[in-house]
């Protein structure tokens, strides 16, 4: 039986990156250099460079000019790329939270909102997409987040859940080390509500919550939280988001070596090994000892 594809609302940042890649490939397929295109279109020497680097926006008019110049006339392809240009110029849903998050996390939100499959491994805390409001507020407070910023980040976290943790949302796989669920955050009541939420979310058809017990010992990447994003388009890049003591890092298959020698597909392999080898579905007995 065929299953329906998840409903994915691709965000402006993701659309901008996708459009940039498509325009670069179109130019290369036409056998042209960036400076050559700029000269032939009587543009400034840096304009094409900046468009393909994603450092400036690109208008629908400029996209059409470039496509014509590259010999792309197929109506469907032209329509798809011009719609990308329109979508890339719209404000993202999280625009009101921009002053409260880092640029890297804003990029993360774009990937998260546009992904068709999300895989999240957490070693120390329940993932943000699974946290109750009470648990999230306790975590942020303990991390020394100021009251105003804390409230904004809690609301952002809940908004992300409302958009993604839905039956028509993306496929999401969570793997939680036992430490993430045994660590007491707040009161006993807070943890009880959090456990109930894990069990409820796991019942959704597109969401899987797995745990790895302490008895599994050491396994691949057991110390480092990471998130993997996959997208519907065959030409779209897999992306990995890593958290460590030094901050956040975003890896892609197309931009290796900048922050890590490992590829997102390396993390995918490790996630698969843990999922198939040592992780088990979350159960009431595991959480509550019943």
């Amino acid at each position: 039986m065929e299953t329906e594809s998840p409903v994915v609302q691709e965000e402006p940042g993701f659309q901008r990156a996708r459009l940039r890649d498509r325009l670069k490939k179109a130019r290369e397929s036409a056998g042209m250099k960036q400076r050559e295109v700029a000269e032939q279109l009587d543009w400034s020497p840096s304009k094409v460079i900046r468009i393909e680097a994603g450092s400036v926006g690109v208008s629908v008019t400029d996209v059409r000019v470039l496509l014509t110049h590259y010999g792309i006339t197929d109506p469907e392809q032209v329509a798809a790329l011009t719609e990308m240009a329109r979508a890339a110029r719209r404000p993202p849903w999280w625009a009101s939270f921009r002053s409260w998050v880092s640029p890297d996390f804003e990029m993360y939100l774009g990937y998260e909102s546009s992904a068709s499959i999300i895989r999240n491994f957490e070693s120390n805390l329940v993932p943000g997409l699974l946290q109750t409001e009470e648990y999230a507020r306790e975590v942020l407070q303990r991390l020394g987040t100021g009251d105003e910023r804390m409230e904004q980040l809690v609301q952002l976290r809940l908004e992300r859940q409302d958009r993604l943790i839905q039956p028509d949302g993306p496929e999401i796989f969570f793997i939680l080390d036992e430490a993430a669920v045994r660590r007491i955050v707040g009161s006993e009541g807070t943890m009880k509500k959090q456990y109930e939420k894990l069990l409820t979310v796991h019942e959704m058809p597109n969401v899987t919550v797995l745990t790895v017990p302490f008895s599994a010992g050491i396994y691949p990447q057991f110390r480092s939280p990471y998130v993997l994003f996959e997208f519907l388009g065959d030409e779209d890049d897999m992306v990995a988001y890593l958290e460590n003591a030094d901050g956040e890092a975003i890896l892609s298959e197309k931009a290796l070596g900048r922050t890590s020698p490992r590829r997102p597909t390396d993390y995918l392999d490790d996630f698969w090994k843990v999922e198939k080898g040592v992780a088990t579905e979350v159960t009431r007995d595991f959480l509550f000892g019943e």
Side-chain angles (χ1 to χ4, degrees):
M1 179 180 296
E2 293 185 0
T3 57
E4 293 185 4
S5 298
V7 175
V8 177
Q9 181 62 52
E10 293 175 345
E11 295 301 319
F14 181 78
Q15 292 281 33
R16 193 158 43 249
R18 172 185 271 180
L19 178 61
R20 175 193 65 204
D21 289 345
R22 300 296 191 277
L23 291 175
K24 181 179 179 181
K25 286 180 180 178
R27 175 182 58 77
E28 291 173 343
S29 295
M32 298 179 183
K33 302 292 186 183
Q34 291 175 327
R35 184 173 295 276
E36 178 186 358
V37 173
E39 289 174 352
Q40 292 171 354
L41 295 177
D42 199 24
W43 287 356
S44 69
S46 63
K47 183 170 179 175
V48 178
I49 296 173
R50 289 177 177 173
I51 287 173
E52 292 186 6
S55 57
V56 297
V58 55
S59 69
V60 172
T61 299
D62 283 348
V63 168
R64 286 183 174 142
V65 168
L66 286 169
L67 295 179
T68 299
H69 196 66
Y70 299 151
I72 295 175
T73 58
D74 176 67
E76 289 188 6
Q77 194 172 359
V78 172
L81 290 169
T82 52
E83 179 53 34
M84 281 185 204
R86 291 191 188 94
R89 299 177 74 85
R90 299 177 189 132
W93 67 261
W94 64 84
S96 62
F97 296 100
R98 266 186 170 143
S99 59
W100 306 103
V101 299
S102 68
D104 276 349
F105 194 70
E106 190 172 347
M107 190 181 299
Y108 176 98
L109 291 172
Y111 289 130
E112 181 183 76
S113 300
S114 304
S116 60
I117 302 176
I118 300 172
R119 293 180 173 87
N120 187 179
F121 169 76
E122 290 291 342
S123 56
N124 295 304
L125 293 168
V126 172
L129 286 177
L130 296 178
Q131 292 176 4
T132 64
E133 181 175 350
E134 191 175 347
Y135 184 104
R137 185 169 280 108
E138 184 71 23
V139 168
L140 292 167
Q141 187 175 46
R142 293 290 181 178
L143 292 176
T145 309
D147 289 346
E148 185 178 5
R149 184 166 187 263
M150 178 183 69
E151 290 303 320
Q152 292 291 328
L153 294 181
V154 168
Q155 292 309 309
L156 173 59
R157 199 159 294 185
L158 296 176
E159 178 74 10
R160 288 164 58 207
Q161 293 179 15
D162 287 343
R163 288 173 174 273
L164 294 171
I165 308 297
Q166 299 291 342
D168 61 353
E171 284 188 84
I172 310 181
F173 300 87
F174 298 96
I175 298 180
L176 313 184
D177 188 271
E178 185 170 353
V181 296
R182 295 293 176 232
R183 189 179 308 283
I184 303 300
V185 175
S187 67
E188 182 179 339
T190 300
M191 294 306 298
K192 181 178 179 180
K193 291 177 184 176
Q194 183 60 72
Y195 289 164
E196 293 290 356
K197 180 162 186 172
L198 294 179
L199 293 169
T200 298
V201 171
H202 180 58
E203 293 299 317
M204 298 182 68
N206 56 315
V207 181
T208 301
V209 182
L210 306 174
T211 56
V212 183
F214 289 137
S215 59
I218 295 174
Y219 54 89
Q221 299 298 324
F222 79 101
R223 293 181 297 179
S224 304
Y226 59 93
V227 186
L228 300 171
F229 301 111
E230 293 183 50
F231 308 97
L232 285 175
D234 291 337
E235 297 182 16
D236 294 321
D237 200 11
M238 176 181 286
V239 172
Y241 176 88
L242 315 179
E243 292 183 70
N244 54 52
D246 297 325
E248 305 150 344
I250 295 176
L251 310 180
S252 79
E253 294 288 313
K254 297 176 182 176
L256 302 177
R258 289 162 48 188
T259 53
S260 170
R262 291 174 58 82
R263 298 171 179 263
T265 46
D266 293 331
Y267 286 92
L268 178 61
D269 286 343
D270 288 339
F271 193 96
W272 186 85
K273 290 173 185 174
V274 177
E275 179 184 357
K276 302 302 179 184
V278 295
T280 58
E281 292 190 20
V282 67
T283 64
R284 182 170 294 275
D285 182 64
F286 179 82
L287 295 177
F288 291 98
E290 297 175 358

